[in-house]
PDB file of all heavy atoms in Angstrom:
ATOM      1  N   ILE M   1      -9.152 -60.817 -14.191  1.00  0.00           N
ATOM      2  CA  ILE M   1      -9.602 -61.211 -15.529  1.00  0.00           C
ATOM      3  C   ILE M   1      -9.078 -62.559 -15.931  1.00  0.00           C
ATOM      4  O   ILE M   1      -9.745 -63.434 -16.436  1.00  0.00           O
ATOM      5  CB  ILE M   1      -9.368 -60.109 -16.553  1.00  0.00           C
ATOM      6  CG1 ILE M   1     -10.196 -58.873 -16.317  1.00  0.00           C
ATOM      7  CG2 ILE M   1      -9.664 -60.624 -18.009  1.00  0.00           C
ATOM      8  CD1 ILE M   1      -9.711 -57.653 -17.143  1.00  0.00           C
ATOM      9  N   SER M   2      -7.804 -62.680 -15.612  1.00  0.00           N
ATOM     10  CA  SER M   2      -7.153 -63.936 -15.973  1.00  0.00           C
ATOM     11  C   SER M   2      -7.730 -65.075 -15.155  1.00  0.00           C
ATOM     12  O   SER M   2      -7.976 -66.198 -15.654  1.00  0.00           O
ATOM     13  CB  SER M   2      -5.602 -63.870 -15.714  1.00  0.00           C
ATOM     14  OG  SER M   2      -5.348 -63.858 -14.289  1.00  0.00           O
ATOM     15  N   LEU M   3      -8.006 -64.893 -13.855  1.00  0.00           N
ATOM     16  CA  LEU M   3      -8.610 -65.894 -13.010  1.00  0.00           C
ATOM     17  C   LEU M   3     -10.020 -66.188 -13.432  1.00  0.00           C
ATOM     18  O   LEU M   3     -10.501 -67.312 -13.428  1.00  0.00           O
ATOM     19  CB  LEU M   3      -8.554 -65.466 -11.538  1.00  0.00           C
ATOM     20  CG  LEU M   3      -9.205 -66.407 -10.503  1.00  0.00           C
ATOM     21  CD1 LEU M   3      -8.520 -67.753 -10.459  1.00  0.00           C
ATOM     22  CD2 LEU M   3      -9.136 -65.798  -9.141  1.00  0.00           C
ATOM     23  N   ASN M   4     -10.814 -65.169 -13.866  1.00  0.00           N
ATOM     24  CA  ASN M   4     -12.174 -65.351 -14.245  1.00  0.00           C
ATOM     25  C   ASN M   4     -12.316 -66.283 -15.433  1.00  0.00           C
ATOM     26  O   ASN M   4     -13.296 -66.980 -15.611  1.00  0.00           O
ATOM     27  CB  ASN M   4     -12.758 -63.989 -14.617  1.00  0.00           C
ATOM     28  CG  ASN M   4     -14.257 -64.075 -14.884  1.00  0.00           C
ATOM     29  OD1 ASN M   4     -15.012 -64.637 -14.169  1.00  0.00           O
ATOM     30  ND2 ASN M   4     -14.611 -63.484 -16.054  1.00  0.00           N
ATOM     31  N   LEU M   5     -11.261 -66.293 -16.299  1.00  0.00           N
ATOM     32  CA  LEU M   5     -11.273 -67.178 -17.491  1.00  0.00           C
ATOM     33  C   LEU M   5     -11.437 -68.660 -17.061  1.00  0.00           C
ATOM     34  O   LEU M   5     -12.165 -69.384 -17.696  1.00  0.00           O
ATOM     35  CB  LEU M   5     -10.058 -66.929 -18.320  1.00  0.00           C
ATOM     36  CG  LEU M   5      -9.893 -67.795 -19.577  1.00  0.00           C
ATOM     37  CD1 LEU M   5     -11.016 -67.529 -20.555  1.00  0.00           C
ATOM     38  CD2 LEU M   5      -8.542 -67.627 -20.215  1.00  0.00           C
ATOM     39  N   ILE M   6     -10.723 -69.034 -15.986  1.00  0.00           N
ATOM     40  CA  ILE M   6     -10.774 -70.473 -15.567  1.00  0.00           C
ATOM     41  C   ILE M   6     -11.808 -70.627 -14.481  1.00  0.00           C
ATOM     42  O   ILE M   6     -12.412 -71.737 -14.418  1.00  0.00           O
ATOM     43  CB  ILE M   6      -9.408 -70.994 -15.101  1.00  0.00           C
ATOM     44  CG1 ILE M   6      -8.850 -70.132 -13.915  1.00  0.00           C
ATOM     45  CG2 ILE M   6      -8.430 -70.922 -16.279  1.00  0.00           C
ATOM     46  CD1 ILE M   6      -7.590 -70.721 -13.332  1.00  0.00           C
ATOM     47  N   LEU M   7     -12.064 -69.638 -13.643  1.00  0.00           N
ATOM     48  CA  LEU M   7     -12.985 -69.790 -12.550  1.00  0.00           C
ATOM     49  C   LEU M   7     -14.399 -69.541 -12.986  1.00  0.00           C
ATOM     50  O   LEU M   7     -15.337 -70.375 -12.764  1.00  0.00           O
ATOM     51  CB  LEU M   7     -12.624 -68.840 -11.378  1.00  0.00           C
ATOM     52  CG  LEU M   7     -13.607 -68.767 -10.202  1.00  0.00           C
ATOM     53  CD1 LEU M   7     -13.780 -70.098  -9.520  1.00  0.00           C
ATOM     54  CD2 LEU M   7     -13.128 -67.723  -9.180  1.00  0.00           C
ATOM     55  N   GLY M   8     -14.616 -68.421 -13.671  1.00  0.00           N
ATOM     56  CA  GLY M   8     -15.926 -68.076 -14.061  1.00  0.00           C
ATOM     57  C   GLY M   8     -16.531 -68.862 -15.174  1.00  0.00           C
ATOM     58  O   GLY M   8     -17.690 -69.220 -15.263  1.00  0.00           O
ATOM     59  N   TYR M   9     -15.637 -69.226 -16.182  1.00  0.00           N
ATOM     60  CA  TYR M   9     -16.101 -69.894 -17.380  1.00  0.00           C
ATOM     61  C   TYR M   9     -15.702 -71.390 -17.330  1.00  0.00           C
ATOM     62  O   TYR M   9     -16.429 -72.190 -18.014  1.00  0.00           O
ATOM     63  CB  TYR M   9     -15.498 -69.245 -18.621  1.00  0.00           C
ATOM     64  CG  TYR M   9     -15.981 -67.859 -18.846  1.00  0.00           C
ATOM     65  CD1 TYR M   9     -15.264 -66.758 -18.518  1.00  0.00           C
ATOM     66  CD2 TYR M   9     -17.322 -67.637 -19.303  1.00  0.00           C
ATOM     67  CE1 TYR M   9     -15.707 -65.463 -18.705  1.00  0.00           C
ATOM     68  CE2 TYR M   9     -17.784 -66.353 -19.466  1.00  0.00           C
ATOM     69  CZ  TYR M   9     -17.040 -65.283 -19.212  1.00  0.00           C
ATOM     70  OH  TYR M   9     -17.501 -64.014 -19.367  1.00  0.00           O
ATOM     71  N   GLY M  10     -14.617 -71.719 -16.619  1.00  0.00           N
ATOM     72  CA  GLY M  10     -14.237 -73.135 -16.636  1.00  0.00           C
ATOM     73  C   GLY M  10     -14.543 -73.873 -15.357  1.00  0.00           C
ATOM     74  O   GLY M  10     -14.425 -75.091 -15.260  1.00  0.00           O
ATOM     75  N   GLY M  11     -14.999 -73.139 -14.323  1.00  0.00           N
ATOM     76  CA  GLY M  11     -15.318 -73.754 -13.059  1.00  0.00           C
ATOM     77  C   GLY M  11     -14.126 -74.267 -12.267  1.00  0.00           C
ATOM     78  O   GLY M  11     -14.319 -75.112 -11.444  1.00  0.00           O
ATOM     79  N   MET M  12     -12.950 -73.771 -12.582  1.00  0.00           N
ATOM     80  CA  MET M  12     -11.701 -74.245 -11.924  1.00  0.00           C
ATOM     81  C   MET M  12     -11.298 -73.229 -10.847  1.00  0.00           C
ATOM     82  O   MET M  12     -10.855 -72.119 -11.132  1.00  0.00           O
ATOM     83  CB  MET M  12     -10.567 -74.372 -12.922  1.00  0.00           C
ATOM     84  CG  MET M  12     -10.762 -75.441 -13.995  1.00  0.00           C
ATOM     85  SD  MET M  12      -9.523 -75.432 -15.323  1.00  0.00           S
ATOM     86  CE  MET M  12     -10.283 -74.294 -16.491  1.00  0.00           C
ATOM     87  N   VAL M  13     -11.523 -73.588  -9.602  1.00  0.00           N
ATOM     88  CA  VAL M  13     -11.271 -72.689  -8.421  1.00  0.00           C
ATOM     89  C   VAL M  13      -9.821 -72.816  -8.085  1.00  0.00           C
ATOM     90  O   VAL M  13      -9.399 -73.674  -7.227  1.00  0.00           O
ATOM     91  CB  VAL M  13     -12.213 -73.058  -7.262  1.00  0.00           C
ATOM     92  CG1 VAL M  13     -12.033 -71.998  -6.140  1.00  0.00           C
ATOM     93  CG2 VAL M  13     -13.647 -73.171  -7.686  1.00  0.00           C
ATOM     94  N   SER M  14      -9.009 -71.984  -8.617  1.00  0.00           N
ATOM     95  CA  SER M  14      -7.568 -71.903  -8.365  1.00  0.00           C
ATOM     96  C   SER M  14      -7.327 -71.034  -7.139  1.00  0.00           C
ATOM     97  O   SER M  14      -7.567 -69.823  -7.161  1.00  0.00           O
ATOM     98  CB  SER M  14      -6.803 -71.389  -9.597  1.00  0.00           C
ATOM     99  OG  SER M  14      -5.440 -71.210  -9.243  1.00  0.00           O
ATOM    100  N   PHE M  15      -6.744 -71.624  -6.097  1.00  0.00           N
ATOM    101  CA  PHE M  15      -6.455 -70.884  -4.881  1.00  0.00           C
ATOM    102  C   PHE M  15      -4.970 -70.570  -4.824  1.00  0.00           C
ATOM    103  O   PHE M  15      -4.487 -70.240  -3.759  1.00  0.00           O
ATOM    104  CB  PHE M  15      -6.926 -71.657  -3.640  1.00  0.00           C
ATOM    105  CG  PHE M  15      -7.248 -70.729  -2.494  1.00  0.00           C
ATOM    106  CD1 PHE M  15      -8.303 -69.867  -2.506  1.00  0.00           C
ATOM    107  CD2 PHE M  15      -6.501 -70.772  -1.358  1.00  0.00           C
ATOM    108  CE1 PHE M  15      -8.651 -69.042  -1.463  1.00  0.00           C
ATOM    109  CE2 PHE M  15      -6.828 -69.960  -0.250  1.00  0.00           C
ATOM    110  CZ  PHE M  15      -7.877 -69.077  -0.316  1.00  0.00           C
ATOM    111  N   GLY M  16      -4.302 -70.684  -5.940  1.00  0.00           N
ATOM    112  CA  GLY M  16      -2.888 -70.365  -5.955  1.00  0.00           C
ATOM    113  C   GLY M  16      -2.480 -69.506  -7.188  1.00  0.00           C
ATOM    114  O   GLY M  16      -1.354 -69.577  -7.673  1.00  0.00           O
ATOM    115  N   HIS M  17      -3.457 -68.755  -7.641  1.00  0.00           N
ATOM    116  CA  HIS M  17      -3.217 -67.936  -8.884  1.00  0.00           C
ATOM    117  C   HIS M  17      -2.203 -66.812  -8.608  1.00  0.00           C
ATOM    118  O   HIS M  17      -1.591 -66.323  -9.610  1.00  0.00           O
ATOM    119  CB  HIS M  17      -4.485 -67.371  -9.407  1.00  0.00           C
ATOM    120  CG  HIS M  17      -4.621 -67.492 -10.895  1.00  0.00           C
ATOM    121  ND1 HIS M  17      -4.543 -68.711 -11.564  1.00  0.00           N
ATOM    122  CD2 HIS M  17      -4.730 -66.552 -11.895  1.00  0.00           C
ATOM    123  CE1 HIS M  17      -4.626 -68.523 -12.881  1.00  0.00           C
ATOM    124  NE2 HIS M  17      -4.765 -67.210 -13.056  1.00  0.00           N
ATOM    125  N   ALA M  18      -1.998 -66.463  -7.357  1.00  0.00           N
ATOM    126  CA  ALA M  18      -0.997 -65.424  -7.068  1.00  0.00           C
ATOM    127  C   ALA M  18       0.386 -65.898  -7.406  1.00  0.00           C
ATOM    128  O   ALA M  18       1.339 -65.049  -7.550  1.00  0.00           O
ATOM    129  CB  ALA M  18      -1.043 -65.058  -5.599  1.00  0.00           C
ATOM    130  N   LEU M  19       0.586 -67.174  -7.614  1.00  0.00           N
ATOM    131  CA  LEU M  19       1.896 -67.710  -8.007  1.00  0.00           C
ATOM    132  C   LEU M  19       2.392 -67.032  -9.260  1.00  0.00           C
ATOM    133  O   LEU M  19       3.563 -66.647  -9.330  1.00  0.00           O
ATOM    134  CB  LEU M  19       1.780 -69.214  -8.264  1.00  0.00           C
ATOM    135  CG  LEU M  19       2.792 -69.925  -9.152  1.00  0.00           C
ATOM    136  CD1 LEU M  19       4.172 -69.768  -8.450  1.00  0.00           C
ATOM    137  CD2 LEU M  19       2.446 -71.388  -9.351  1.00  0.00           C
ATOM    138  N   TYR M  20       1.514 -66.821 -10.249  1.00  0.00           N
ATOM    139  CA  TYR M  20       1.936 -66.264 -11.529  1.00  0.00           C
ATOM    140  C   TYR M  20       2.133 -64.771 -11.455  1.00  0.00           C
ATOM    141  O   TYR M  20       2.956 -64.248 -12.128  1.00  0.00           O
ATOM    142  CB  TYR M  20       0.913 -66.672 -12.607  1.00  0.00           C
ATOM    143  CG  TYR M  20       0.657 -68.168 -12.574  1.00  0.00           C
ATOM    144  CD1 TYR M  20      -0.493 -68.713 -12.026  1.00  0.00           C
ATOM    145  CD2 TYR M  20       1.612 -69.033 -13.074  1.00  0.00           C
ATOM    146  CE1 TYR M  20      -0.696 -70.081 -12.010  1.00  0.00           C
ATOM    147  CE2 TYR M  20       1.458 -70.436 -13.036  1.00  0.00           C
ATOM    148  CZ  TYR M  20       0.248 -70.931 -12.480  1.00  0.00           C
ATOM    149  OH  TYR M  20       0.097 -72.259 -12.428  1.00  0.00           O
ATOM    150  N   MET M  21       1.343 -64.168 -10.569  1.00  0.00           N
ATOM    151  CA  MET M  21       1.566 -62.697 -10.382  1.00  0.00           C
ATOM    152  C   MET M  21       2.903 -62.485  -9.708  1.00  0.00           C
ATOM    153  O   MET M  21       3.746 -61.609 -10.154  1.00  0.00           O
ATOM    154  CB  MET M  21       0.439 -62.167  -9.507  1.00  0.00           C
ATOM    155  CG  MET M  21       0.453 -60.639  -9.462  1.00  0.00           C
ATOM    156  SD  MET M  21      -1.075 -60.061  -8.686  1.00  0.00           S
ATOM    157  CE  MET M  21      -0.833 -58.282  -8.844  1.00  0.00           C
ATOM    158  N   GLY M  22       3.273 -63.306  -8.700  1.00  0.00           N
ATOM    159  CA  GLY M  22       4.549 -63.169  -8.072  1.00  0.00           C
ATOM    160  C   GLY M  22       5.715 -63.586  -9.009  1.00  0.00           C
ATOM    161  O   GLY M  22       6.801 -62.963  -9.001  1.00  0.00           O
ATOM    162  N   LEU M  23       5.460 -64.544  -9.864  1.00  0.00           N
ATOM    163  CA  LEU M  23       6.503 -64.988 -10.814  1.00  0.00           C
ATOM    164  C   LEU M  23       6.821 -63.878 -11.819  1.00  0.00           C
ATOM    165  O   LEU M  23       8.005 -63.607 -12.075  1.00  0.00           O
ATOM    166  CB  LEU M  23       5.978 -66.271 -11.581  1.00  0.00           C
ATOM    167  CG  LEU M  23       7.002 -67.052 -12.321  1.00  0.00           C
ATOM    168  CD1 LEU M  23       8.068 -67.558 -11.400  1.00  0.00           C
ATOM    169  CD2 LEU M  23       6.332 -68.187 -13.067  1.00  0.00           C
ATOM    170  N   GLY M  24       5.803 -63.207 -12.296  1.00  0.00           N
ATOM    171  CA  GLY M  24       6.029 -62.089 -13.183  1.00  0.00           C
ATOM    172  C   GLY M  24       6.838 -60.950 -12.547  1.00  0.00           C
ATOM    173  O   GLY M  24       7.713 -60.346 -13.167  1.00  0.00           O
ATOM    174  N   ALA M  25       6.506 -60.684 -11.291  1.00  0.00           N
ATOM    175  CA  ALA M  25       7.228 -59.643 -10.533  1.00  0.00           C
ATOM    176  C   ALA M  25       8.689 -60.029 -10.310  1.00  0.00           C
ATOM    177  O   ALA M  25       9.574 -59.195 -10.498  1.00  0.00           O
ATOM    178  CB  ALA M  25       6.597 -59.383  -9.241  1.00  0.00           C
TER     179      ALA M  25
END
């Protein structure tokens, strides 16, 4: 859902979004 905000609605194809998931962990 977090990625869809920038990819689906903003057209920003982030191929490093796992960075923030790992950072939270």
